[in-house]
Structures are given as C-alpha cells and as structure tokens.
Amino acid sequence: MTDLKIGIIGGSGLYKMDALQDIEELQVDTPYGPPSDALIRGNLDGTPVVFLARHGRNHTLMPTELPFRANIYAMKSLGVEYLISASAVGSLKEAVKPLDMVLPDQFIDRTRNRISTFFGEGLVAHISFGDPVCNGLAGVLGEAIASLNLPDISLHQGGTYVCMEGPAFSTKAESSLYRSWGATVIGMTNLPEAKLAREAEIAYATLALVTDYDCWHPDHDSVTVEMVIGNLQKNAVNAQRVIRETVRRLSEAPPASDAHDALKFAIITPLDKANPTTRDKLAPLLKKYL
Ligand SMILES: CSC[C@H]1O[C@H](OP(=O)(O)O)[C@H](O)[C@@H]1O
Ligand SMILES: Nc1ncnc2[nH]cnc12
C-alpha cells in the first residue's frame, strides 16, 4: 500500500504522533468549515498516514464544539479508507481498570447537540449501523495490542461505549444507569465520528484508553480532570505504540470492510433528482455512485 489510506484521530492526551516523519501540515477547507486543526501528513515507519488532533493541538475544542463533519470530510478528501480513533474513556466495569484498552464494538447515543450526518438538504440516505465499528480494523488493533505484551494492561476486545454530551462528567445516577445497561466505557466523542465515517465509507475503529472508573466506583467519588490527566499521559505513550504496530500490520494486509460500500444500498433519493448543490457538496463521498 503506497497511497495514503490510513487516518488517525488523536483524542484527549494524544495531540501528535512522535514517530511521524516527513511531516506536512495541511490546512484543509471543507463545506463545513475548517477541521479541528491542520491535518498532519507524514510517514509512520515508511507508511503514509494523516493525523488529526480531535480537540486541536492545544485542546481548545470541547466535545460539543467539535467539527465532526469537517474532520471526516477532510479525511475522505485526502483518500483515507481506514480511520483509527484513539479516545480517553471512563470505565463502567470493575474489571476494566484505568490504563486498560478497550476495542468497543457497540455504541449508545446519549448526545443531544451534535450533527451526525452528511445527508439532508435534498439528498436522503440511511446507512446500516447495526455493527458500527469495522470488525476487521478492530481485529488488527487487537492483534497489534496483543503482540506488544504491554505490562499490567488488559485488552478488552468488544464492549459498549456510551457517548454522552458533556462537557460535565456524569451524575452517579447516570453512571449507574449505564452500568445497568451493561455498557463498558463512557466518552463524549466517538459516536458522531463513527456515523459520519460510515457515511463516508471509511472503515472506523476506536482504541479506547481508560483513564478513570467514572463516578459510580466507590473509590472514585467523582471524576476530575486532574485525576484523568496523569493517566492520559501514560495512555498517550501506549496508544502511539499500538497505532504504530497497527499501521505496520495494515500496510501489509489491509482487511476487507463492509464500510467501504456503506452507501451502496443506503441512498434513497435518486441522485438525478437530488438537490444539485448538496450532490456537488458531497461529491467526495458520492463519486463512485454519480
Ligand atoms: C479529558 S477527559 C474528557 C474528554 O476526553 C475524551 O475525549 P476523546 O474522546 O477525544 O479522547 C472524552 O470524550 C472527553 O471529550
Ligand atoms: N468518566 C468519563 N466520562 C466521560 N468521558 C470521559 N473521558 C474520560 N473519562 C471519562
């Protein structure tokens, strides 16, 4: 694989990839405004990748303010087909401890104030989202993590990520409710991103890095940024090792992904009857169907 096909979105704590070489900063313009920051194109051990700091390199954007559509549109415009999301999460299970890694395979949407679709304005599509994560990509992440034998860190393959609005952390009643639903981890960002990536036919998987036990835990009365930050820094080091190994494996054997044909049976508006302005705006997503 020589072309750029792999994108990385770094969440809280992961604002750059230290091993990236031959770096180029791209200010990408999109119909949805600018992405969270410049996209950083470079080579990771010889494989071209593009990196984006989800909250900006100085963490200036809160979850509700994130330009999710611009971020995914920019990745798509640059040719990204596989997108690895690294994210900080709170744990909703005793067995999932701080610094562990989770590869969620389900999401629950508790956001209220996000735009999670490129469609509307005269062009309607309904993607399938029963399996919101690309299992092939999550599988490669899992193999990469296992191969690294990270001391004292358990890998949890599968699990449900609750996506809350934030920016305040949960109340104890909310945290207990999500536990009663059997959910595994909680964060504020990955669900809109996963939906938009699927609409853009990009294979998406989340590397969730646990920072805390959320407020349900008897030893952690409340979550504080101070508590989270120490673990974020440790997680950022581990995440970079996992991402490097995952990229190496992806460059050798990219998995097949249903996400790459997600729009095949999703678009309900005949494209010749769709609003031409919307159709033109979505050209990078739709070009194989036009
Ligand atoms: C700093 S803790 C809360 C913050 O961290 C997570 O962000 P990301 O998913 O980008 O790593 C969480 O979703 C909140 O936005
Ligand atoms: N407990 C928590 N709740 C929501 N988002 C988080 N990100 C990290 N820890 C979190």
Side-chain angles (χ1 to χ4, degrees), residues 26-60:
L26 306 173
Q27 306 288 347
V28 184
D29 195 22
T30 83
Y32 308 99
S36 299
D37 203 327
L39 279 84
I40 313 294
R41 187 158 58 187
N43 290 314
L44 206 49
D45 306 308
T47 302
V49 302
V50 62
F51 175 86
L52 174 64
R54 179 182 289 119
H55 302 273
R57 68 189 73 183
N58 297 314
H59 207 130
T60 43

Side-chain angles (χ1 to χ4, degrees), residues 88-91 164 169-170 186-188 211-215 223 228:
V89 293
S91 169
M164 60 177 291
F169 293 113
S170 305
I186 182 159
M188 305 178 190
T211 52
D212 55 85
Y213 264 124
D214 207 32
C215 59
V223 187
V228 165

Side-chain angles (χ1 to χ4, degrees), residues 28-136:
V28 184
D29 195 22
T30 83
Y32 308 99
S36 299
D37 203 327
L39 279 84
I40 313 294
R41 187 158 58 187
N43 290 314
L44 206 49
D45 306 308
T47 302
V49 302
V50 62
F51 175 86
L52 174 64
R54 179 182 289 119
H55 302 273
R57 68 189 73 183
N58 297 314
H59 207 130
T60 43
L61 296 167
M62 67 174 183
T64 308
E65 295 173 322
L66 292 177
F68 289 105
R69 288 188 297 181
N71 292 351
I72 298 297
Y73 192 99
M75 288 281 176
K76 182 73 181 179
S77 305
L78 292 175
V80 166
E81 295 178 6
Y82 298 90
L83 187 53
I84 300 166
S85 154
S87 263
V89 293
S91 169
L92 297 168
K93 288 189 187 289
E94 184 81 53
V96 179
K97 57 188 197 308
L99 306 186
D100 277 2
M101 297 188 187
V102 183
L103 300 172
D105 56 2
Q106 285 297 327
F107 292 106
I108 293 175
D109 194 357
R110 290 274 302 161
T111 66
R112 293 186 296 272
N113 204 3
R114 315 284 174 98
I115 302 176
S116 305
T117 182
F118 288 108
F119 292 99
E121 297 179 338
L123 208 176
V124 180
H126 303 277
I127 49 152
S128 301
F129 206 53
D131 292 304
V133 165
C134 171
N135 288 329

